């Protein structure tokens, strides 16, 4: 009997759906707007939606800096059962993100024209940009609230609710796009308002979750120290997003100035490939960040390694399929955006090149998230700094020297960044042979750990108890501690079995025992029906013999799993 990947892989899949759909909500609204306005208005209108991408990116940057950084810390605190810190982080993030989004609304109410002039130097596009920017800026709180609620609701054990909210969001956006543009003749402003309406509906679906009695979140007095901690954790992701904003702005300015408006349209088309790819990489990154953070809080290093492996596997498969499709059928993209005949050839070339370049970009971004989780800040910060800024000088040089090959700029820049990362990671691995290549994941745990998985049966549970006893004795623990740990484990697993039996459901169980100085942490995860062991212990006899042993018991239901953690102190051996 040994630890298996079943439960950690299932948790990844459950969270992944919600994460992808949250990213889809963040990115697809702009893509859908581009497709619809290019057909219902004209291709200049689509260029205007692309010019708004830096604004949307700013919103996502604020969320990444404070909300996503805070969510990683919330997940770690949940893993460590520190719910007071969970509530402080949650409350602080709400206050700060709310204040910043209101400030953006103020800018939208009084300075929309100035912002549009800053983002667009073309008089031909200026009217379109103003009309699209106005709702996007004024309703900034709705955009940021959608991203924030999507993350916190999923962490709190309701990723399916997030999935439903985001699906409805995008369906509403699509329908309202057609209604407001084609029926009410609102033009490009109608497209922006449709995106806002979709986000409002998504927020309305998620908000009732926070009124439930079993939510982990409660509003508390804010602490500025938690804001600093959230920002520090989210900094590499926010910096990458800031540099993405600079990349989008600088690239569009360079192309429109040095190459022309036709090339700007081609660039607008290929940017939508990035938006599609971002759906996958954001989903993989968000899942890995928050699930892996929870696993690290639980000291589940096996689960952490499996989550990282699953994230890279998912990303390579999904982007590999997308890349092959785009290489073979670039006309799928050009038809979606009603490409003019004069630009079709150039669009085909750009789509094929960027389909590979953006795959490399996504792998680098996922590596950045991995390094941040492993507290390798130097490597994480290097990727966040260089991933987008390295493209700007390359695209400027090629636009001046040889505009015909300007679409190779991203590929050249990303390849150079990957080369530096690979060399640096290999140097770190040679210093410590216990690290895996490139990802630098540790192959061993810092504490003595017992791990085992099984599909519940009386026979397997008996084998599990025997293996626990043998392992504990091998750690030179006294007989009294061995007895207590075995009793607690036996009654917790029997509880799972009995409750699952009532519901006619057989549980798959992961059991982990971590031996820290003067502390044994026993963690049991199962996929049976939700059953709060802590509440049951308070209400009745529950854990009969174990109730006579002084230990701490914590319970949470996340990723469709019961996670019960028992912490037992034991005396130091002489």
């Amino acid at each position: 009997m040994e630890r298996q990947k079943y439960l950690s892989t299932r948790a990844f899949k459950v969270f992944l759906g919600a994460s992808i759909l949250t990213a889809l909500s963040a990115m697809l609204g702009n893509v859908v707007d581009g497709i619809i306005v290019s057909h219902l208005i004209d291709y200049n209108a689509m260029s205007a939606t692309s010019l708004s991408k830096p604004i949307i990116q700013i919103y996502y940057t604020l969320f990444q800096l404070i909300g996503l950084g805070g969510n990683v810390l919330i997940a770690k605190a949940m893993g460590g059962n520190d719910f007071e810190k969970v509530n402080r982080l949650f409350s602080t993030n709400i206050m700060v993100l709310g204040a910043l989004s209101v400030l953006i609304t103020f800018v939208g109410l009084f300075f929309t024209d100035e912002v549009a002039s800053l983002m667009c130097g073309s008089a031909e596009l200026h009217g379109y940009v103003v009309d699209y920017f106005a709702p996007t800026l004024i309703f900034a709180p709705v955009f940021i609230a959608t991203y924030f609620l999507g993350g916190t609701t999923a962490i709190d054990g309701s990723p399916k609710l997030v999935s439903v909210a985001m699906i409805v969001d995008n369906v509403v956006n699509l329908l309202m796009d057609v209604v407001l543009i084609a029926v009410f003749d609102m033009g490009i402003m109608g497209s922006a308002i449709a995106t806002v309406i979709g986000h409002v509906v998504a927020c309305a679906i998620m908000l009732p979750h926070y009124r439930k009695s079993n939510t982990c979140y409660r509003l508390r007095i804010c602490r500025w120290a938690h804001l600093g901690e959230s920002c520090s954790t989210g900094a590499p992701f926010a910096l990458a997003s800031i540099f993405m904003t600079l990349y989008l702005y600088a690239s569009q300015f360079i192309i429109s100035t040095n190459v022309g408006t036709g090339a700007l349209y081609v660039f607008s088309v290929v940017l939508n490939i990035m938006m599609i790819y971002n759906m996958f990489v954001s989903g993989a990154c968000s899942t890995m960040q928050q699930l892996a953070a929870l696993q690290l809080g639980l000291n589940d290093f096996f689960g952490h390694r499996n989550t990282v492996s699953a994230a890279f596997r998912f990303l390579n498969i999904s982007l590999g399929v997308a890349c092959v499709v785009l290489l073979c059928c670039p006309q799928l993209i050009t038809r979606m955006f009603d490409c003019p005949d004069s630009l079709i050839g150039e669009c085909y070339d750009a789509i094929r090149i960027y389909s590979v370049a953006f795959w490399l970009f996504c792998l680098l971004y996922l590596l950045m998230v991995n390094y941040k989780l492993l507290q390798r800040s130097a490597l994480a910060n290097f990727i966040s700094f260089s991933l987008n800024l390295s493209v700007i000088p390359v695209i400027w040089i090629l636009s001046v020297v040889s505009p015909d090959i300007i679409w190779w700029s991203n590929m050249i820049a990303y390849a150079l960044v990957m080369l530096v990362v690979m060399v640096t990671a290999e140097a770190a691995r040679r210093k410590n042979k216990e690290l895996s290549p490139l990802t630098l994941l540790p192959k061993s745990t810092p504490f003595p750990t017992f791990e085992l998985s099984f599909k519940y049966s009386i026979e397997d549970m008996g084998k599990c108890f025997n293996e626990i006893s043998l392992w504990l004795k091998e750690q030179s623990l006294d007989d009294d501690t061995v007895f207590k740990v075995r009793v607690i484990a036996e009654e917790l697993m029997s509880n799972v079995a009995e409750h699952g039996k009532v519901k006619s459901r057989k549980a798959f169980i992961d059991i982990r025992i971590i031996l820290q100085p003067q502390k044994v942490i026993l963690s049991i995860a199962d996929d049976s029906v939700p059953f709060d062991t802590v509440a049951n212990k308070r209400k009745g006899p529950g854990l009969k013999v174990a109730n006579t042993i002084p230990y701490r018991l914590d319970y949470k239901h996340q990723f469709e799993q019961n996670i019960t953690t028992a912490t037992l102190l034991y005396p130091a051996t002489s």
Side-chain angles (χ1 to χ4, degrees):
M1 299 175 75
E2 60 183 15
R3 179 77 184 273
Q4 298 177 33
K5 297 179 179 181
Y6 174 77
L7 286 184
S8 59
T9 300
R10 182 177 178 185
F12 179 85
K13 290 177 180 178
V14 168
F15 204 105
L16 181 65
S19 299
I20 285 182
L21 287 166
T22 301
L24 183 66
S25 179
M27 307 298 174
L28 191 58
N30 209 251
V31 176
V32 170
D33 289 348
I35 294 172
I36 291 176
V37 300
S38 66
H39 285 272
L40 297 183
I41 306 175
D42 58 39
Y43 74 88
N44 280 328
M46 197 198 85
S47 297
T49 65
S50 294
L51 288 169
S52 75
K53 284 182 172 65
I55 302 296
I56 304 297
Q57 197 68 35
I58 288 172
Y59 298 162
Y60 206 59
T61 299
L62 292 174
F63 164 68
Q64 287 180 309
L65 178 64
I66 301 167
L68 189 55
N71 286 348
V72 171
L73 295 173
I74 285 172
K76 281 187 177 180
M78 281 185 178
N81 298 301
D82 187 353
F83 292 101
E84 182 61 26
K85 185 172 183 179
V86 168
N87 292 325
R88 298 282 186 188
L89 285 162
F90 177 73
S91 302
T92 302
N93 291 348
I94 286 177
M95 183 192 73
V96 176
L97 286 173
L100 290 172
S101 61
V102 169
L103 181 61
I104 296 171
T105 296
F106 175 82
V107 172
L109 286 170
F110 298 101
F111 301 102
T112 298
D113 195 78
E114 287 80 1
V115 173
S117 298
L118 179 66
M119 303 301 296
C120 174
S122 169
E124 186 179 4
L125 298 177
H126 185 79
Y128 285 129
V129 173
V130 170
D131 286 347
Y132 195 83
F133 275 23
T136 304
L137 290 167
I138 292 170
F139 293 99
V142 175
F143 285 83
I144 294 174
T146 304
Y147 310 152
F148 178 74
L149 291 175
T152 53
T153 304
I155 295 172
D156 200 27
S158 296
K160 286 186 176 179
L161 178 63
V162 179
S163 299
V164 170
M166 297 309 164
I167 290 171
V168 174
D169 180 333
N170 287 285
V171 170
V172 170
N173 181 17
L174 177 61
L175 293 175
M176 294 306 298
D177 256 328
V178 176
V179 170
L180 296 180
I181 296 175
V183 179
F184 289 94
D185 197 26
M186 294 181 66
I188 195 170
M189 181 179 286
S191 181
I193 293 174
T195 302
V196 172
I197 293 172
H199 288 349
V200 169
V201 173
C203 290
I205 292 172
M206 290 184 283
L207 279 173
H209 170 82
Y210 296 85
R211 299 179 62 184
K212 294 181 179 178
S213 59
N214 61 346
T215 180
C216 291
Y217 303 122
R218 297 289 184 272
L219 290 176
R220 295 287 186 269
I221 297 173
C222 303
R223 288 184 178 174
W224 293 112
H226 288 325
L227 175 61
E229 199 176 355
S230 295
C231 291
S232 175
T233 303
F237 317 117
L239 285 174
S241 189
I242 290 170
F243 297 144
M244 171 63 80
T245 305
L246 291 174
Y247 156 72
L248 292 172
Y249 175 76
S251 297
Q252 289 178 134
F253 179 82
I254 291 169
I255 290 171
S256 62
T257 302
N258 293 353
V259 187
T261 55
L264 181 60
Y265 169 80
V266 174
F267 189 65
S268 298
V269 171
V270 296
L271 278 184
N272 284 285
I273 297 174
M274 177 181 280
M275 297 298 109
I276 295 169
Y277 277 37
N278 268 348
M279 177 182 68
F280 294 111
V281 72
S282 295
C285 287
S286 181
T287 301
M288 189 170 82
Q289 280 171 306
Q290 296 173 71
L291 179 55
L294 178 68
Q295 290 164 334
L296 289 173
L298 288 165
N299 293 302
D300 184 2
F301 298 98
F302 176 94
H304 174 227
R305 290 194 294 272
N306 187 46
T307 294
V308 174
S309 298
F312 276 96
R313 185 166 56 252
F314 162 78
L315 193 64
N316 278 314
I317 292 173
S318 58
L319 295 189
V321 171
C323 186
V324 169
V325 170
L326 291 173
L327 285 171
C328 297
C329 306
Q331 63 269 25
L332 293 176
I333 299 294
T334 56
R335 286 173 183 169
M336 279 173 29
F337 294 102
D338 197 23
C339 179
D341 293 341
S342 59
L343 296 173
I344 283 180
E346 190 172 1
C347 272
Y348 282 1
D349 292 340
I351 289 168
R352 289 188 172 107
I353 295 168
Y354 275 83
S355 66
V356 179
F358 287 151
W359 186 358
L360 191 55
F361 169 90
C362 292
L363 288 176
L364 283 164
Y365 196 92
L366 194 60
L367 279 172
M368 180 189 73
V369 175
N370 172 65
Y371 293 143
K372 183 59 182 178
L373 286 168
L374 296 174
Q375 298 183 329
R376 294 187 172 274
S377 297
L379 260 175
N381 290 335
F382 168 75
I383 294 175
S384 74
F385 175 82
S386 61
L387 200 53
N388 291 297
L389 292 190
S390 61
V391 180
I392 296 174
V394 177
I395 202 168
W396 178 79
I397 291 171
L398 293 185
S399 72
V400 174
V401 176
S402 183
D404 292 341
I405 60 171
I406 193 172
W407 309 123
W408 287 93
S409 304
N410 292 62
M411 181 83 79
I412 294 169
Y414 299 153
L416 291 173
V417 174
M418 178 61 86
L419 180 62
V420 173
V421 170
M422 291 175 66
V423 170
T424 306
E426 182 60 25
R429 195 183 72 85
R430 290 190 176 185
K431 292 180 181 178
N432 184 355
K433 297 294 184 182
E434 288 300 307
L435 301 177
S436 60
L438 192 58
T439 59
L440 301 181
L441 293 169
K443 297 177 182 178
S444 58
T445 59
F447 303 109
T449 302
F450 173 89
E451 297 182 291
L452 188 146
S453 303
F454 62 95
K455 188 80 172 178
Y456 179 82
S457 69
I458 297 296
E459 182 183 354
D460 283 342
M461 192 164 77
K463 291 179 182 178
C464 176
F465 294 150
N466 290 334
E467 292 192 30
I468 289 173
S469 298
L470 289 172
W471 182 81
L472 290 171
K473 289 178 180 179
E474 288 173 0
Q475 309 309 309
S476 301
L477 289 176
D478 61 278
D479 291 340
D480 183 57
T481 301
V482 173
F483 171 76
K484 289 177 179 177
V485 173
R486 176 168 173 146
V487 165
I488 295 169
E490 184 172 347
E491 295 207 21
L492 285 175
M493 283 193 284
S494 297
N495 231 12
V496 172
E498 285 302 312
H499 189 65
K501 184 178 180 182
V502 171
K503 301 292 183 179
S504 300
R505 183 165 172 180
K506 208 174 198 182
F508 192 95
I509 298 174
D510 278 355
I511 180 167
R512 289 182 300 107
I513 303 175
I514 303 169
L515 193 61
Q516 297 183 1
Q518 286 81 63
K519 182 192 295 185
V520 179
I521 300 174
L522 168 66
S523 180
I524 295 176
D526 69 84
D527 62 347
S528 184
V529 293
F531 178 66
D532 191 338
T533 310
V534 176
N536 184 66
K537 180 183 177 184
R538 293 195 193 105
K539 290 177 182 176
L543 307 174
K544 302 175 184 65
V545 180
N547 277 341
T548 66
I549 300 171
Y551 69 101
R552 174 179 170 177
L553 189 64
D554 296 288
Y555 168 84
K556 61 177 74 69
H557 186 265
Q558 290 178 309
F559 318 118
E560 299 184 354
Q561 297 173 27
N562 299 296
I563 303 174
T564 306
T565 305
T567 305
L568 173 71
L569 302 180
Y570 69 92
T573 56
S574 57

